[in-house]
């Protein structure tokens, strides 16, 4: 029997089940995951009335909260959480987002509810207003190290004083990668193809380094000493195939983080995953090299991150590598065969 889930917990990684894309039976999937004994959180879809289904997703959200409530109480409020996205609206100002968060909290009426904000709405003013209402927050849709740093800084600034509210910064590991891979495919060289499937892990690892730098400041030290729970980095891998997603999970193992898996990815990890120690800290340099290779091909992950809402097929053709006297020597180019698409998991 594969014990990858237990190994994740032993390595200090919280396991969340991601049912945000589940059309029905989300609460049942949470219950099934809880039966494995290692799940500490869940990501749900937006609450909507659905008379044809005979029940409402809001009811399933409440059920999921109730299932995780014992873990929430036992942890003092830092675990057993259920993240639910706030509905979008015409008004983007902090007061409007705060009003939606308050309405969702009142509708669900559970202490382990976490409201999920899009990154563009998570400014300091909005976060400060939510913390003042004692509402737990997940800032979502972060795709690049720089954008992660901006969100982390805004969150830290919003913590004016000691708070007991949990907070999360979720990094979408696959959000940029599919767009980067589309551009690499347009270039078409063997060297470009060797970089396919590497951008997501590189960006995620450098986002972790940014997180560590942000929350090692003197300001954070004072808040931590007063008992404020440290905001947690939450890896999200739902945009990939189950086995690819499970591969990301085992390659992003590092203490103090959380990882959200869809049910199929969780099954793939349980079937063939290998969790063997920290896979982030010692890979910062390799992540930097990967981004340097991409820059050589005229691809900036920060620019691509701004285009993540555009379908990859609609992207403009990227620039070809610049043939100048500063072009890197062939020995600095990515090696052929450095990456092959994963049909199944391989040992880490």
């Amino acid at each position: 029997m594969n014990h990858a889930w237990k190994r994740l917990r032993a390595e200090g990684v919280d396991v969340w089940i991601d049912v945000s894309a589940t059309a029905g039976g989300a609460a049942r999937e949470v219950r099934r995951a809880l039966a494995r004994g290692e799940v500490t959180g869940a990501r749900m879809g937006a609450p909507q009335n659905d008379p044809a289904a005979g029940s409402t997703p809001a009811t399933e959200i409440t059920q999921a909260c109730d299932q995780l409530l014992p873990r929430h109480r036992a942890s003092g409020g830092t675990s057993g959480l259920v993240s639910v996205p706030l509905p979008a609206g015409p008004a983007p100002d902090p007061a409007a987002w705060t009003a939606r968060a308050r309405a969702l909290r009142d509708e669900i009426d559970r202490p382990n509810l976490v409201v999920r904000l899009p990154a563009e709405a998570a400014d300091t003013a909005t976060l400060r207003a939510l913390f003042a209402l004692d509402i737990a927050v997940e800032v979502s849709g972060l795709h690049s190290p720089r954008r992660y740093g901006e969100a982390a800084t805004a969150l830290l600034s919003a913590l004016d004083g000691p708070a007991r509210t949990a907070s999360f910064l979720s990094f979408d590991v696959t959000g940029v990668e599919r767009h980067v891979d589309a551009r690499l495919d347009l270039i078409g060289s063997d060297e470009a193809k060797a970089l396919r499937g590497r951008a997501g892990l590189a960006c995620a690892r450098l986002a972790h380094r940014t997180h560590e730098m942000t929350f090692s400041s003197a300001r954070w030290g004072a808040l931590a000493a007063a008992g404020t729970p440290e905001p947690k980095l939450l890896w999200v891998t739902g945009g990939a195939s189950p086995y690819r997603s499970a591969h990301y999970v085992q390659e992003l193992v590092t203490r103090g983080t959380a990882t959200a898996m869809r049910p199929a990815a969780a099954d793939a990890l349980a079937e063939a995953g290998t969790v063997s120690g920290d896979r982030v800290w010692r890979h910062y340099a390799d992540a930097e090299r990967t981004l340097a290779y991409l820059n050589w091909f005229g691809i900036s992950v920060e620019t691509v991150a701004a285009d993540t809402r555009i379908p990859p097929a609609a992207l403009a053709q990227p620039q070809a590598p610049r043939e100048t006297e500063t072009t890197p020597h062939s020995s600095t180019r990515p090696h052929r065969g450095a990456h092959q698409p994963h049909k199944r998991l391989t040992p880490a």
Side-chain angles (χ1 to χ4, degrees), residues 141-144 172 174-180 183 301-312 315:
L142 302 172
H143 303 97
S144 74
D172 183 356
T174 60
V176 168
E177 185 166 287
R178 66 178 183 273
H179 288 75
V180 169
R183 297 181 184 215
V301 295
E302 300 295 347
T303 301
V304 173
D307 299 332
T308 52
R309 293 185 179 181
I310 303 174
L315 294 173

Side-chain angles (χ1 to χ4, degrees), residues 185-279:
D185 288 341
L186 287 172
I187 294 171
S189 67
D190 288 343
E191 290 84 356
K193 291 178 181 178
L195 286 170
R196 294 189 85 259
R198 293 173 60 178
L201 285 175
C203 289
R205 286 165 172 157
L206 294 180
H208 180 268
R209 184 176 66 178
T210 299
H211 182 98
E212 292 297 299
M213 294 173 63
T214 302
F215 295 102
S216 62
S217 64
R219 173 181 172 79
W220 170 250
L223 291 169
T228 303
E230 181 175 343
K232 186 164 287 190
L233 194 165
L234 173 65
W235 312 113
V236 178
T237 61
S241 66
Y243 279 91
R244 185 67 183 166
S245 176
H247 170 73
Y248 290 137
V249 169
Q250 69 183 22
E251 288 296 311
L252 291 172
V253 172
T254 189
R255 187 165 298 278
T257 60
T259 188
M261 296 180 284
R262 290 183 178 175
D267 291 342
L269 185 71
E271 173 193 340
T274 302
V275 176
S276 56
D278 191 287
R279 302 286 294 172

Side-chain angles (χ1 to χ4, degrees), residues 74-88:
S75 69
T78 60
S79 183
L81 298 160
V82 178
S83 172
V84 180
L86 288 180

Side-chain angles (χ1 to χ4, degrees), residues 34 64-77 79-80 112:
L34 277 169
C65 286
D66 289 341
Q67 290 165 9
L68 284 159
L69 195 54
R71 301 187 180 215
H72 181 260
R73 290 170 176 161
S75 69
S79 183
N112 53 340

